[in-house]
Amino acid sequence: FPSHDIAGVNKEDWSKFLSWFSIFNSSGSTSSCESFTGRGEVSKYFLPGLGNLICRRYFRGGYLGKVNRRYYLSSVRDRLNSSRAGQEFFCLEKLTQAGENVPIPVCALVQPCCLEIIYTASIALPEISGCQNLFDIVKSSSINPSNLELIARRVGQQSMRLLTLGVQHADLHLGNVLVQENAEVYLIDFDAARTINPGSEKSAARV
């Protein structure tokens, strides 16, 4: 299911991307020139009209991931909304519409297999250009302390705004914070994000 932000993309280019995206999601290895591994596997694809897309295939972690990395039990009645891809897609769509600095979701893909009992899933997001993750910035020790204080303040402010919108990032670390040259901050990787009640006492305590 795509987002509403693809109207300017040529239909032929979009069709080529979806074909590649489907192969990327269902194959055991990445066909991209650049990939990273973790709980998900990430590759890059250039789509005219949208630029570089970061495409991530979801993998299981922990002990279960040692025997089953890629497959998830399918809920046929609500496969899209219950999948990791769907949950992250709709979370990012909600935050984007609220004006938060997060990746704009482009497309999420859920492919059932084995009589629709299980599925694999992937998500495509635009690359945020001109950014460096906060871990690399801190590790380099080249940043002005006052700029680092500004970045930390902005991360805290955005985290609080997310909580008031009913979203808890749940995996916020230095590697999931992207910083532009003007100290503009973007939060990424909402795979583990949780929906919370913004009016609850627990939510207020988090804020």
Side-chain angles (χ1 to χ4, degrees), residues 138-151:
V138 172
K139 187 172 64 173
S140 69
S141 303
S142 60
I143 187 170
N144 187 301
S146 61
N147 284 347
L148 189 58
E149 183 180 347
L150 174 61
I151 292 169

Side-chain angles (χ1 to χ4, degrees), residues 142-167:
S142 60
I143 187 170
N144 187 301
S146 61
N147 284 347
L148 189 58
E149 183 180 347
L150 174 61
I151 292 169
R153 189 183 311 118
R154 287 182 173 176
V155 171
Q157 290 170 344
Q158 186 166 0
S159 299
M160 288 191 289
R161 288 198 303 272
L162 261 56
L163 290 172
T164 60
L165 290 169
V167 175

Side-chain angles (χ1 to χ4, degrees), residues 52-120:
N52 285 327
L53 299 182
I54 303 300
C55 303
R56 184 171 78 248
R57 184 165 52 211
Y58 293 93
F59 286 143
R60 289 185 179 278
Y63 289 109
L64 188 56
K66 295 182 183 300
V67 293
N68 171 26
R69 290 195 70 201
R70 299 185 51 240
Y71 297 100
Y72 298 84
L73 284 176
S74 176
S75 170
V76 177
R77 293 181 59 187
D78 196 18
R79 184 183 298 122
L80 297 182
N81 289 318
S82 63
S83 69
R84 284 171 61 184
Q87 289 173 359
E88 184 168 6
F89 180 95
F90 290 119
C91 176
L92 289 172
E93 189 173 54
K94 173 183 177 179
L95 296 177
T96 298
Q97 291 171 353
E100 293 301 324
N101 284 355
V102 298
I104 302 170
V106 173
C107 181
L109 179 64
V110 174
Q111 288 181 296
C113 51
C114 297
L115 301 176
E116 301 194 351
I117 297 172
I118 57 178
Y119 70 87
T120 58

